Amino acid sequence: MTKEQKNEVIEVLKGKFSQYNNFYITNTESLSVEQVGKLRRACFDKNVEMKVAKNTLIKKALESIDAERYTGVFDALNNVTALLFSENPKEPALIISSFRKANNGEKPELKAAFINGDIYSGDNQLKALTQIKTKNELIGEVIGLLQSPAKRVIAALLHNAETKGQTAAEAAPAE
C-alpha cells in the first residue's frame, strides 16, 4: 500500500469517526469469506456500515481527531479488525449476537465499543450492549411515565361521574 493510499484510507476513516458517535471494533479473524459476506449483508440490512482496515491506520485516524477521547480504544486494535458504524448504539451488538447464534460460533468477537463517548472493552460487554436503550425508546418511556398520572386522574373522574350517574338513575325509579 502506497503512502497516498494509506492517507486516503485514514481520511475515509476520519470521516466515519466524525460522522458516527457509535462504533464497534470486532475481531473477524477466523471467519470464512462466505461468513464475512453474510455479516456484511446483515449490517447493510440494518443500516450499519462495516469497514475493514489496518490497525495502524485506524489508530492514526483516531489520533488525528482526538487522541485523548479515544485512548481506551487503542488497546483493542490488534489482529484482524472490522469496524461497525451505526447511528443506533444497540444495532451492531444485536447483529453480532444474532450472527453468532446463526453460526454457532464465538466470532465475530467484540474487542471494544465506543458509544456516545463511553468505551466498553471486551467481549463480555456484548450482552449489556444488546440491552442499551436507544434515544427514541428512552423518550417513549419518559412520555409514558408522564402520561400515567394524568390517565389515572381522568379514569378516576370518569369512574366518579359514572357512579354518580348510576345512583341518580337508581334513585329515580324508587320515587
Side-chain angles (χ1 to χ4, degrees):
M1 200 175 220
T2 66
K3 182 143 181 97
E4 198 173 283
Q5 290 172 322
K6 288 178 182 178
N7 288 335
E8 210 174 287
V9 170
I10 290 171
E11 288 303 314
V12 168
L13 289 173
K14 281 172 54 176
K16 293 298 174 196
F17 291 125
S18 298
Q19 180 183 354
Y20 293 100
N21 287 329
N22 312 304
F23 64 89
Y24 284 59
I25 301 171
T26 62
N27 181 357
T28 56
E29 189 170 7
S30 63
L31 295 179
S32 68
V33 173
E34 182 183 343
Q35 288 174 318
V36 171
K38 285 180 183 177
L39 181 61
R40 283 185 184 277
R41 273 190 296 284
C43 289
F44 180 79
D45 291 343
K46 300 286 186 173
N47 294 324
V48 174
E49 286 191 54
M50 181 175 167
K51 297 278 183 207
V52 177
K54 291 185 175 193
N55 294 316
T56 53
L57 299 179
I58 296 169
K59 186 174 181 179
K60 284 180 182 180
L62 290 171
E63 285 175 339
S64 67
I65 295 171
D66 187 351
E68 269 186 51
R69 184 175 185 204
Y70 298 111
T71 301
V73 173
F74 298 147
D75 293 339
L77 297 175
N78 52 45
N79 299 332
V80 178
T81 299
L83 298 167
L84 304 178
F85 297 96
S86 175
E87 291 293 331
N88 181 343
K90 182 177 177 176
E91 204 62 55
L94 294 173
I95 290 170
I96 292 169
S97 293
S98 64
F99 188 83
R100 284 181 180 182
K101 285 178 189 170
N103 293 295
N104 297 322
E106 297 283 318
K107 300 283 180 168
E109 177 187 346
L110 177 68
K111 295 196 277 185
F114 186 86
I115 310 293
N116 296 320
D118 295 323
I119 298 171
Y120 299 84
S121 294
D123 198 51
N124 58 342
Q125 299 290 321
L126 186 63
K127 184 171 172 118
L129 290 169
T130 60
Q131 297 169 349
I132 285 179
K133 295 198 185 275
T134 64
K135 182 178 178 181
N136 290 339
E137 289 171 336
L138 289 173
I139 290 170
E141 280 185 18
V142 169
I143 289 171
L145 289 171
L146 291 173
Q147 286 179 339
S148 182
K151 285 182 181 178
R152 280 195 227 128
V153 168
I154 291 170
L157 290 172
L158 288 173
H159 178 71
N160 191 20
E162 287 174 6
T163 55
K164 282 185 179 179
Q166 287 176 351
T167 54
E170 290 170 1
E175 292 176 6

